């Protein structure tokens, strides 16, 4: 069995903050459309996100908002019927998985199916080498 994997970095998909007035005037931004089409064409999606102030990043929330839209309306096509795996980096070893609780709630509200197992990397700022490879964790 094989699978095609597409790895993306949200830095490569700059999109404006979600704004219903902007959407009504200009439609969905092209980069948001690209992300949404990638999601619609996927069977499973893995989201890895840092934890910011006990929640998900604003950039990720913005992507979730835009990709749950189509032609000016709510559209869960990028989420419904999809399996999601979620993971986070944590700033300290003792941190809770607060951001993943929020991420799970958002994805499930949009219609995605988040698998039970969650992954976190504690002390993420020290967990990777210069080539972005994960070091052995203590």
């Amino acid at each position: 069995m094989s699978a095609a994997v597409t790895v993306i970095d949200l830095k490569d998909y700059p999109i404006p903050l979600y704004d219903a007035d902007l959407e009504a005037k200009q439609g969905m931004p092209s980069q948001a459309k690209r992300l949404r089409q990638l999601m619609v064409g996927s069977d499973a999606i893995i989201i890895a996100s840092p934890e910011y102030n006990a929640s998900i990043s604003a950039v990720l929330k913005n992507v979730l908002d835009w990709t749950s839209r189509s032609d000016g309306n709510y559209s869960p096509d990028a989420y419904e019927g999809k399996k999601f795996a979620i993971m986070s980096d944590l700033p300290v070893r003792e941190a809770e998985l607060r951001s993943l609780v929020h991420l799970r709630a958002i994805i499930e509200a949009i219609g995605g199916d988040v698998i039970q197992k969650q992954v976190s990397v504690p002390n993420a700022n020290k967990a990777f080498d210069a080539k972005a490879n994960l070091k052995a964790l203590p």
Side-chain angles (χ1 to χ4, degrees):
M1 177 183 253
S2 66
V5 176
T6 303
V7 178
I8 67 162
D9 184 333
L10 294 182
K11 291 177 191 171
D12 298 329
Y13 295 83
I15 55 177
L17 291 176
Y18 178 74
D19 178 332
D21 293 335
L22 173 71
E23 182 183 25
K25 289 178 189 172
Q26 300 176 8
M28 182 180 276
S30 63
Q31 297 293 5
K33 283 182 186 178
R34 283 182 58 212
L35 279 171
R36 187 174 193 290
Q37 284 310 111
L38 283 171
M39 292 175 70
V40 167
S42 298
D43 296 317
I45 298 168
I46 300 171
I47 298 175
S49 175
E51 180 172 299
Y52 291 170
N53 296 319
S55 191
I56 64 173
S57 71
V59 171
L60 177 55
K61 178 63 166 90
N62 192 47
V63 165
L64 298 172
D65 290 342
W66 274 114
T67 57
S68 67
R69 313 279 305 160
S70 182
D71 297 322
N73 296 301
Y74 170 73
S75 176
D77 298 351
Y79 296 86
E80 287 184 336
K82 312 271 188 245
K83 291 286 187 187
F84 285 81
I86 57 177
M87 58 179 59
S88 176
D89 69 11
L90 303 171
V92 295
R93 186 154 211 39
E94 298 81 26
E96 299 173 21
L97 301 177
R98 299 168 294 195
S99 64
L100 295 181
V101 171
H102 296 167
L103 182 55
R104 175 182 295 278
I106 295 165
I107 292 169
E108 289 176 347
I110 302 170
D113 181 14
V114 181
I115 64 172
Q116 193 62 35
K117 179 72 175 167
Q118 299 177 155
V119 176
S120 65
V121 179
N123 297 315
N125 60 329
K126 299 174 189 167
F128 296 88
D129 66 20
K131 293 184 179 181
N133 296 309
L134 185 62
K135 298 178 194 176
L137 296 175

